[in-house]
Amino acid sequence: EPEVTQTPSHQVTQMGQEVILRCVPISNHLYFYWYRQILGQKVEFLVSFYNNEISEKSEIFDDQFSVERPDGSNFTLKIRSTKLEDSAMYFCASRGGYSTDTQYFGPGTRLTVL
Amino acid sequence: AQKVTQAQTEISVVEKEDVTLDCVYETRDTTYYLFWYKQPPSGELVFLIRRNSFDEQNEISGRYSWNFQKSTSSFNFTITASQVVDSAVYFCALIAYSGAGSYQLTFGKGTKLSVIP
């Protein structure tokens, strides 16, 4: 069964460093999402991506964040200069072309900023 | 704006007991979908079910059942004869459809279920 994959599973970085989190969505999906979950809290929407551009972003998704689909399979989230408060689990999700399609999540990348 | 409230932060039950997880939602849109996701200790988010706002039929899948009531804006989840493997955090979520949009999920804060052997 097709699934969303994410790498790495755990990333440790120093404050101020850049990190890139990678996702491979389900192959025939068209919409891609990043969500964030700070430890012990709810899952929060960061950004959605469709047709090679951001379709919507939350107030959390400030200038230090960027997303990209560099090729036909990968979908990346870059954090330019990490802060302690960026420590969280980051989930990638994808869905098909219909607005009512279910979003399927990857296993997440746990980011720890020291 | 949409909102999902899961008032139960943590629930503990003894194995084989039934347990109901509550979910109350708010949206002004008439077309929406409700979801439940399971997050086991390993951390991934596992899709369990979705219901659309026009279908209030309750659903049963094995030991899981869902009760959707528009009158009370609730979408509760019951696990019958709970098992240790059901121990997880369960999230209720909502997508509202109000025209163009990316239709992102709005999650509740989750209910941590612990099933004690």
Side-chain angles (χ1 to χ4, degrees), chain B residues 32-34 49-53 55 57-59 68 75:
Chain B
Y32 50 90
Y33 272 78
L34 295 162
I49 191 173
R50 72 172 190 176
R51 299 300 280 174
N52 75 57
S53 51
D55 183 2
Q57 248 188 346
N58 291 331
E59 183 154 339
F68 176 28
F75 185 45

Side-chain angles (χ1 to χ4, degrees), chain B:
Chain B
Q2 295 83 39
K3 185 178 179 183
V4 176
T5 301
Q6 294 179 255
Q8 304 150 310
T9 306
E10 291 193 43
I11 300 177
S12 288
V13 299
V14 177
E15 201 171 19
K16 297 184 183 175
E17 285 184 349
D18 298 348
V19 58
T20 295
L21 311 181
D22 298 333
C23 172
V24 173
Y25 62 91
E26 294 175 34
T27 178
R28 292 180 182 175
D29 296 293
T30 57
T31 303
Y32 50 90
Y33 272 78
L34 295 162
F35 300 79
W36 278 94
Y37 285 85
K38 175 182 179 180
Q39 187 175 43
S42 48
E44 71 270 24
L45 285 167
V46 179
F47 165 73
L48 294 177
I49 191 173
R50 72 172 190 176
R51 299 300 280 174
N52 75 57
S53 51
F54 300 108
D55 183 2
E56 283 192 76
Q57 248 188 346
N58 291 331
E59 183 154 339
I60 298 175
S61 175
R63 295 184 297 107
Y64 296 170
S65 62
W66 291 269
N67 183 304
F68 176 28
Q69 292 195 347
K70 285 178 79 170
S71 60
T72 55
S73 298
S74 65
F75 185 45
N76 297 335
F77 173 31
T78 297
I79 301 174
T80 303
S82 59
Q83 299 176 2
V84 173
V85 292
D86 296 327
S87 296
V89 180
Y90 291 86
F91 290 97
C92 182
L94 166 74
I95 293 178
Y97 297 92
S98 55
S102 66
Y103 307 121
Q104 67 268 24
L105 286 156
T106 298
F107 283 85
K109 292 185 176 181
T111 297
K112 182 177 181 180
L113 174 65
S114 299
V115 180
I116 304 163

Side-chain angles (χ1 to χ4, degrees), chain A residues 4 6 8 11 18 21 24 27 30 32 37 41 47 55 60 104 110 114:
Chain A
V4 178
Q6 290 185 243
Q11 173 109 33
E18 175 183 286
L21 311 183
V24 178
S27 63
L30 302 177
F32 315 115
Q37 183 184 30
Q41 297 187 25
V47 65
S55 50
I60 303 171
Y104 291 94
R110 179 163 299 284
L114 302 176

